[in-house]
Amino acid sequence: IMAGRFAVRDVERSRVRRHPQPPFTTSTLQQEASRKLRLSASRTMRIAQQLYEGADIGGESVGLITYMRTDSVQLSREAIGSTRAVIKNQYGDTYLPEKPRIYKTRTKNAQEAHEAIRPTDLTCRPQDVANALDPDQQRLYELIWKRTVASEMASAEFDQIAADIAAADGQIVLRATGSVPVFDGFLVLYQEGRDDPSEDEESDDRALPPLKPGEALTRDAVRPEQHFTQPPPRYTEASVVKRLEELGIGRPSTYASILEILKARKYVLLEKGRFVPEDRGRIVTAFLANFFERYVQYNFTAEMEERLDDISGGRIDWKTVLREFWQAFGPAVDGTKDLSVSQVITTLDEYLGVHFFPETGTGVDARLCPGCNTGRLGLKLGKFGAFIGCSGYPECRFTRALALQVPGGDGKNGAELIGPRELGPHPTTGKPVSVRKGPYGHYVQVELDNGEEKPRRASIPKPLDPTTIELEMAVKLLSLPREIGLHPESGKPVTAGLGRFGPYVQHEGAYRSVDSVEEVLSIGLNRAVDLLAAPARRGANTLRALGAHPVDGKPVAIMSGRYGPYIRHLKTNAPLPRDKTPEEVTLDEAVQLLAARAARPDSGRRKPAGRRQSKAPPAAKPAAKSKRKPRAPVAAAGD
């Protein structure tokens, strides 16, 4: 095959058509925005809400799209007529089908109170409103406009080709399949994205050059490749929404909140656009699957949705539905409330054993405790959550976290810190130095040589990786706080250390921040004196300016505060949401957070403690002198 000559033996052709996709529903809008624009479901819905509420165009607030929470794929007659007019004017009669396309909803339990998501005015093209929208709004509006117009365009046509290619001796026959575009149709404007890019490579729609029987071909390269069956790709936000819709779980308004809860509660990790299950999510799923199996099955939610539809349609009594639900759910709860914690942990340990203790192929029991070599590792529950521990406790105190995130990595679960990691002897005392994990994070520890109760410990700052830290760095951390030298003016010691708010230098109660951990470990006296001589930085630093407030034009910015970043506008401060970084927050989101903060009853009423001063009563005014003569005293009775 390496030296053979090849020619086309036979070519099979068949004309196929590809029809456009219907206009957007809530779920398909979220899917396409995730694939094409890299927007989360919640972000997509917020932008769609803004487009629905309207933009300032020509001095008027104009709603740009129809209602964005809908299951319907139908367009009104006026919208279809306007769309066909746009197609004829911009693309010509060739791209306009003879009859309008009428779509029908195939989604189970669809609620079609609204038409599909479309522009309110099809003649308002994306470039016409670009100046009135921010970049994300403009991109989403363009996506909706193109999808709507393409849904009424002519179908694309392809020649489906299957070509047999034979070697000169006729013993080897290769087959190539693909397609040749004949008429682009709606593809001139819009093509739906795919959840898995590899689907494009395996598709029969791959383009082939024109081939004729008997045509000689030039061999380019021969690459022997072995293919293995791959597991299905992990879910993206788009494929999760698609799957929820297929199973009939939830409503258009719930898809975004479902995804946000999964991320906010750290049940999953979003890695390169795909969901990776976290150990917390595995434990919760294992608990529900073992003790509430009926209620986590796909068909339970879908059937409940049907029954709720029957209630709203008057086909069933709502009391009957509730009665039947509680008759089954009550015993399920009663059957679990008497379980002990140890019974639950044992069940979860057996269910998740394959995940936490995978076979290594070395013949060594994965559950064998490396600390004592006799105990059995298993799932434990402590004050600070679940962990892996030895069955030989308290004689063996070996523990390890379920999983450890490696700082600075690509988001994948890296090497686990299995128990204490010995680094070597301390260069001064000779006592062992080790890396350990506590309830508040990782730290280094050295045993004391004077028989005291507690060994010396030092926390490992975030920039350092506890799985790769070496003895030299551990010794430096254990030396903090360290004395740098004596101040040239006061003669008092200057020290450097790591505090609650980061690295610092200190002299006689005056503190100054140091830029990095590496600097605090090596800073000299001259540099420390210069820092101490500089004025103390008071107040917060500006991390990012967001722009002018739409109401008063005053600046809105993200500040770095003592307890984390926050949003500031005049005298109003709003904390930054935990799931947001300063780089992700937009001006619109900041304005909403500030408005919510200002609307709180206690906003602006709290006064600093210790500054209240009781007001002295106002001095009494001297009595005005009367011009009347004093009356003579009247004698009391009995005088």
Side-chain angles (χ1 to χ4, degrees), residues 18 58 93 101 106 141 192 231 233 254 368 375-376 386 539 563 591:
R18 189 190 303 175
D93 293 335
R101 295 185 182 275
R106 299 180 180 179
Y141 179 77
E192 189 174 44
T254 63
L368 182 64
R376 184 175 184 273
Y563 301 104
V591 171

Side-chain angles (χ1 to χ4, degrees), residues 72-88:
S72 176
V73 293
Q74 298 180 3
L75 297 178
S76 64
R77 291 183 180 180
E78 294 79 6
I80 293 177
S82 178
T83 304
R84 290 175 62 85
V86 170
I87 296 172
K88 183 176 182 178

Side-chain angles (χ1 to χ4, degrees), residues 50 102 154 167 270 293 324 338 403 470 512 560 569 596 601 621 624:
Q50 296 165 2
I102 306 299
L270 194 60
E293 181 181 6
E324 293 176 355
D338 295 331
E470 300 295 339
R512 297 292 185 272
S560 65
H569 169 249
K621 294 182 180 179

Side-chain angles (χ1 to χ4, degrees), residues 328-372:
F329 188 67
V333 175
D334 293 338
T336 58
K337 67 181 182 180
D338 295 331
L339 292 173
S340 64
V341 176
S342 60
Q343 289 175 306
V344 175
I345 292 298
T346 300
T347 302
L348 298 183
D349 180 66
E350 295 176 356
Y351 187 87
L352 295 171
V354 177
H355 169 67
F356 289 125
F357 311 103
E359 294 294 334
T360 59
T362 60
V364 179
D365 185 5
R367 286 184 177 264
L368 182 64
C369 176
C372 61

Side-chain angles (χ1 to χ4, degrees), residues 510-589:
Y511 292 82
R512 297 292 185 272
S513 296
V514 179
D515 293 336
S516 64
V517 176
E518 289 75 10
E519 184 178 6
V520 81
L521 295 173
S522 59
I523 190 171
L525 183 59
N526 292 337
R527 169 65 174 158
V529 171
D530 290 341
L531 289 175
L532 291 167
R537 291 182 292 181
R538 298 189 178 276
N541 296 325
T542 301
L543 295 178
R544 181 179 167 219
L546 297 178
H549 197 283
V551 176
D552 54 22
K554 299 298 182 181
V556 178
I558 299 180
M559 316 295 292
S560 65
R562 181 177 182 183
Y563 301 104
Y566 65 93
I567 304 168
R568 170 181 287 179
H569 169 249
L570 297 178
K571 295 184 178 181
T572 302
N573 298 331
L576 205 65
R578 293 185 178 181
D579 59 341
K580 290 283 187 180
T581 62
E583 292 75 18
E584 297 175 340
V585 178
T586 64
L587 178 60
D588 291 338
E589 293 173 336

